[in-house]
Amino acid sequence: MDWGMKNRLNKIIKPDTGRTVMLAVDHGYFMGPTTGLEQLDKMVLPLLPYADTLMLTRGALRYYIPPETDVPIVLRVSGGTSILNENLLHEGIVASMEDAIRLNVAGVAFSILVGAEFERDTILAFTEIIDEAMTFGIPTIAVTAVGKDMVRDARYMSLASRMAAELGASIVKTYYVEGFEKVVDTCPVPIVIAGGKKQPEPDALEMAFNAIQAGAIGVDMGRNIFQSEDPVAMIQAVKAVVHQDFSPDEAYDLFKEKMGGE
Ligand code: R5P
């Protein structure tokens, strides 16, 4: 592996623990002003000291995040459909590699929808992105999106994750499901989990804990952090689960301790 690719991967996955807390705030690319991100900078800037990586769109990066910010960026480069479209997540390439380089990103993220009618479109566009990204030593994060009517189980997540890895992804982002060890064991590249819809804080911390114990190397979490009663306290609790193997109870105690500021 080339030095640039290795260096960027080490920016995303922290070398001291081999894990990562990616803060996902890219929701606007298909959901518009998502609850909690209406004024994206006001929400995100106080969270950055605790995030290992920030995942967002090029517009959000340019409009809301100051270039002085010292956080590795994972740029979402897929999109094309909105939450109003019944073919949600029928995505193609929405940002060039040239622009990703201009923005000095550590990685790019692209959603594939395995099992959907249009899976081929998303997979072929994804491999185009991989080829371009590899030319410049940029890691690719495959987001294994799941359609509304599709079953979220270990069998499906293993299929989508293994496909993403074999197609050339550097990291796979998927959803935590029961039997997650199978997903991790059959995927040759590191796996992070998305948070999904907002849950009560103890449940989200337990999900993160279970994923890490099953072998995930981290989280790419959005709503369960920025829609929390106290986002700054929540990201610290998630970070303790990911990097320090805090149990869900210990992490929830930390959340309560950090609530309302130091
Ligand atoms: C969806 O594809 C977006 O990439 C989100 O970034 C991702 O789902 C993670 O955010 P959340 O934890 O809110 O699900």
Side-chain angles (χ1 to χ4, degrees):
M1 199 189 291
D2 183 60
W3 194 94
M5 176 69 87
K6 275 191 194 156
N7 180 255
R8 289 189 179 95
L9 274 171
N10 280 313
K11 285 182 192 295
I12 300 172
I13 303 168
K14 297 290 123 184
D16 50 343
T17 59
R19 293 186 181 160
T20 183
V21 174
M22 300 174 64
L23 176 62
V25 293
D26 58 327
H27 304 62
Y29 86 95
F30 73 107
M31 288 166 64
T34 312
T35 305
L37 298 180
E38 295 89 343
Q39 316 286 319
L40 192 140
D41 47 350
K42 291 207 173 87
M43 172 59 73
V44 171
L45 297 184
L47 299 174
L48 287 185
Y50 310 102
D52 296 319
T53 310
L54 181 64
M55 176 180 169
L56 75 180
T57 61
R58 60 177 168 181
L61 184 57
R62 286 198 165 99
Y63 301 135
Y64 291 113
I65 308 296
E68 293 77 14
T69 304
D70 186 18
V71 65
I73 300 297
V74 168
L75 189 72
R76 172 164 282 280
V77 295
S78 72
T81 45
S82 78
I83 198 165
L84 303 177
N85 191 315
E86 61 180 34
N87 277 333
L88 178 63
L89 304 175
H90 184 171
E91 298 187 358
I93 298 166
V94 296
S96 68
M97 209 50 60
E98 193 183 46
D99 206 27
I101 293 164
R102 195 178 289 124
L103 289 166
N104 197 27
V105 304
V108 292
F110 194 100
S111 291
I112 55 169
L113 195 36
V114 172
E117 212 183 306
F118 45 80
E119 63 176 9
R120 186 169 188 274
D121 296 354
T122 62
I123 288 169
L124 294 189
F126 175 53
T127 51
E128 252 180 72
I129 282 290
I130 293 174
D131 282 333
E132 282 180 44
M134 283 185 79
T135 306
F136 301 106
I138 298 178
T140 312
I141 290 101
V143 179
T144 60
V146 188
K148 276 187 215 146
D149 308 326
M150 291 157 73
V151 184
R152 282 186 192 205
D153 61 13
R155 191 162 165 260
Y156 174 80
M157 295 305 177
S158 300
L159 170 74
S161 301
R162 176 63 174 263
M163 280 180 67
E166 295 220 14
L167 289 162
S170 315
I171 297 173
V172 170
K173 170 180 163 179
T174 188
Y175 289 92
Y176 178 75
V177 287
E178 207 172 307
F180 200 67
E181 290 81 1
K182 176 179 154 65
V183 182
V184 174
D185 289 349
T186 56
C187 182
V189 301
I191 290 192
V192 294
I193 60 150
K197 282 191 184 144
K198 170 77 176 76
Q199 311 177 54
E201 280 79 0
D203 296 351
L205 292 168
E206 190 171 354
M207 179 181 68
F209 175 81
N210 289 340
I212 296 292
Q213 298 311 309
I217 58 115
V219 297
D220 186 16
M221 193 176 267
R223 289 162 289 179
N224 277 291
I225 293 174
F226 64 73
Q227 293 177 351
S228 165
E229 194 181 333
D230 190 325
V232 176
M234 186 59 177
I235 194 170
Q236 291 180 78
V238 171
K239 195 164 186 176
V241 169
V242 171
H243 286 294
Q244 296 174 262
D245 288 313
F246 269 38
S247 70
D249 285 346
E250 288 170 330
Y252 189 53
D253 285 345
L254 181 68
F255 169 74
K256 287 185 290 192
E257 187 192 313
K258 298 285 180 188
M259 270 181 82
E262 297 291 327

